[in-house]
Amino acid sequence: AQSVTQLGSHVSVSEGALVLLRCNYSSSVPPYLFWYVQYPNQGLQLLLKYTSAATLVKGINGFEAEFKKSETSFHLTKPSAHMSDAAEYFCAVTSGGYNKLIFGAGTRLAVHP
Amino acid sequence: NAGVTQTPKFRVLKTGQSMTLLCAQDMNHEYMYWYRQDPGMGLRLIHYSVGEGTTAKGEVPDGYNVSRLKKQNFLLGLESAAPSQTSVYFCASTHQGAPGYTFGSGTRLTVV
C-alpha cells in the first residue's frame, strides 16, 4: 500500500525566504501526486498536481514542485515566502484505484516578518 | 457554482446520539469520499462511493455508515457517537477520469 511522509510537522521561515516543504512517497509505480493547502478553519484547496506530464509542476500562488522518481520525492517550493502563505500543507498520492488519495500528516508553515 | 456543500458546519453530540452529515455536489462527479481530519494524522478515508447506489469501506470505517441514493448526495451516518469520533469531517468528489478532489468546507463534530 502507498504511504506518504512529510518531513517536518512545523516549518518556520522569514518573509521573503525560500519555502521548502518535503514529501516522499512509497511506490515502485509512479502515482499521481498532489499538494493541497488548508487555511485556518477552511477546506483543502488544490495547489498543484503531477499526472505524469512535465516533472516540474507549477501551481497557484507561486508554488511549484518537482517529481523525482529516483528519490520518490515531490517537494514543494516557493522562492519568496509571503505572510499570506501561512497555512497547513498536505501532500497526497493516488492509491488503490478509484482516484482515492492517501494524505501525509501535513506541514504547518509559519511566516514571520 | 456551489461545488461541494457540507451540512452542518458545526455540531456537538452527546455520547450515544446519532446524526447524519450531508454532502452535496453539483458537478456531476461520479466518485465521492468521506475523510476525517485529526491533528498530526492528516486526512484518513472513511468510506467512498464510485456511483449511485454503491459504497465501499476506506481506511477507518468502523462506527460509520454511508449511503448514496442519488448521484449528487453522499451521506455519512454515526449511529452511536463516541468521543473518539470528535474530528473534522471532509467530503470530496471527483470525476472518474480526473484524479484530484474538490473538497467541501468541512464539518466540525464534537462528541462529549
Side-chain angles (χ1 to χ4, degrees):
Chain A
Q2 282 276 15
S3 66
V4 179
T5 302
Q6 291 185 238
L7 295 176
S9 58
H10 291 81
V11 171
S12 181
V13 300
S14 299
E15 191 173 18
L18 171 71
V19 175
L20 171 61
L21 305 182
R22 299 178 186 274
C23 174
N24 288 87
Y25 65 93
S26 64
S27 175
S28 58
V29 178
Y32 294 160
L33 294 151
F34 305 82
W35 276 99
Y36 284 87
V37 60
Q38 185 180 33
Y39 299 102
N41 299 314
Q42 294 188 25
L44 279 76
Q45 178 183 1
L46 181 66
L47 268 180
L48 50 80
K49 62 182 178 182
Y50 167 77
T51 56
S52 74
T55 57
L56 182 61
V57 181
K58 295 186 182 300
I60 62 172
N61 301 336
F63 284 94
E64 62 182 36
E66 185 173 8
F67 171 69
K68 292 187 176 181
K69 182 179 177 181
S70 61
E71 299 177 7
T72 59
S73 68
F74 191 57
H75 301 331
L76 182 70
T77 60
K78 182 174 181 178
S80 178
H82 192 274
M83 297 296 288
S84 61
D85 294 327
E88 189 157 21
Y89 293 80
F90 292 93
C91 181
V93 59
T94 48
S95 177
Y98 301 115
N99 294 346
K100 296 195 301 293
L101 294 183
I102 301 296
F103 287 83
T107 297
R108 187 170 298 277
L109 176 67
V111 182
H112 52 84
Chain B
N1 190 351
V4 178
T5 302
Q6 291 185 233
T7 53
K9 296 189 182 304
F10 303 93
R11 185 72 186 268
V12 178
L13 284 180
K14 294 182 178 179
T15 298
Q17 286 185 320
S18 64
M19 77 163 295
T20 300
L21 283 66
L22 171 64
C23 176
Q25 53 94 3
D26 61 1
M27 299 168 286
N28 202 33
H29 285 171
E30 296 85 3
Y31 297 167
M32 298 185 74
Y33 314 82
W34 276 107
Y35 283 82
R36 60 177 289 171
Q37 182 182 21
D38 301 292
M41 303 186 74
L43 282 77
R44 293 179 292 167
L45 182 63
I46 304 171
H47 286 281
Y48 64 100
S49 168
V50 300
E52 184 177 319
T54 71
T55 63
K57 294 180 180 180
E59 180 186 0
V60 288
D62 294 342
Y64 305 95
N65 56 76
V66 288
S67 63
R68 192 160 177 208
L69 300 180
K70 295 182 179 180
K71 185 177 183 179
Q72 64 268 33
N73 295 336
F74 194 28
L75 280 62
L76 177 71
L78 286 74
E79 291 186 348
S80 179
S84 61
Q85 295 177 303
T86 293
S87 187
V88 181
Y89 291 86
F90 285 100
C91 177
S93 70
T94 184
H95 271 305
Q96 180 177 353
Y101 297 161
T102 299
F103 279 93
S105 58
T107 295
R108 186 174 296 274
L109 175 66
T110 302
V111 183
V112 297

